[in-house]
Amino acid sequence: TDDSGNDTTEYFALLSGFTDLCQELIDNGQPYMVVVLAHELFRFLYPMEPYADVTHTKPVEFVTKHIRALIELGAGVRETVAPYKCSASPLSPGVSGSSLPRATSDLYSLFWKEFDQETLVNESAALLKNRLPAGVIEECIAGRSVLDLGCGSGRYCIAMASVGAGRVVGVDYQARSFHGASEWCKQQGLPVSFVASSVHELALGDNQFDFVFCNGVLHHTDSIERGLKQLVRVLRPSGRAFVYLYAAGGIFWQTRKALRAVMSQIPIEYTQGVLRMIGMPSSRFIFCDTWYVPVETHTTTERLEKILGDVGAVFSKLVGNSPYDLDRALADGISGAREMWGDGEHRYLLSK
């Protein structure tokens, strides 16, 4: 028995009961309650939840009590609320009949259209400065040739141009993802261009870029290794790259897997509607990202560092600066951090 309060046995037993309850609620015509319960569980898996003024000091103990309370709440609704039966296709837009890259791109395009100019421009610059180590912007981006590999909405392309990049190229699978950013960059005269391409098959020459930024992209493809090979290929010998990828292990990542299996049965439009009604800010699209993206690969530190070595990358591991970052919680030595967040998150600075 773990007397420290960090034994995860009870939590995982409760997680199994939680997913069974969610399935019963879906079958009973009460998917709205599943969305609420899943949201309430997921939001407290991070080191802090500012909207509820919670910062974890004993995360395993907290989430074990929390999931137990959510099960009691959901069971009460199941027993006391008479539902109106509802039915809808469980498939999210773009998934059925689409290739994996297009389905993923379609999904994120749905999220990114919610971004206003503040999020697209000002907030992105602040996030970039917080995400990269001190000195990287001045040494590797300012006045340099930069690639955003898997640029999505293009907001980090704008951010890198705003901090002085000499040339920025954003690559994503289809132009609808970055259309808004492309038009804005043209209007502002920024040195940014966009290319519609798979991150696995870049139509770009070798050794072209001083800096490559790849933030939260390759774990949504069918091969992290193929994407990293392309990154290393286009990076100049003197260049640097930043890569962010999901890790594995612990309550956090195991719960993500369990919730994805549940939420895949509820249409994404329905889920978004419920989340809007409970007042969730649109910028918190991480919930639907996690639940509906076609592929989400979780990788241990050992496995990822082997891949990095195999593709010819020289790497140094970074630690996130935000109190939300899982790897920061691990570095800070929070009690039960390893049991709660596993390997945390992967942030690496690369060269070749």
Side-chain angles (χ1 to χ4, degrees), residues 27 54 69 77 82 84 105 120-121 131 137 145 165 168 187 241 250-251 298 300 305 318 326 330 351:
D27 294 342
V54 169
V77 169
Y84 293 106
S105 180
L120 192 63
V121 182
R131 194 161 287 267
I137 289 176
S145 176
V168 182
Q187 293 169 9
I251 284 173
H298 302 164
T300 64
E305 292 189 351
L318 306 173
L326 314 186
L330 289 168
S351 59

Side-chain angles (χ1 to χ4, degrees), residues 176-207:
R176 65 181 287 191
S177 296
F178 50 73
H179 175 75
S182 179
E183 293 301 307
W184 194 87
C185 289
K186 290 175 184 176
Q187 293 169 9
Q188 300 298 317
L190 294 178
V192 180
S193 60
F194 293 93
V195 177
S197 171
S198 165
V199 297
H200 289 158
E201 299 173 352
L202 295 177
L204 299 167
D206 297 350
N207 307 315

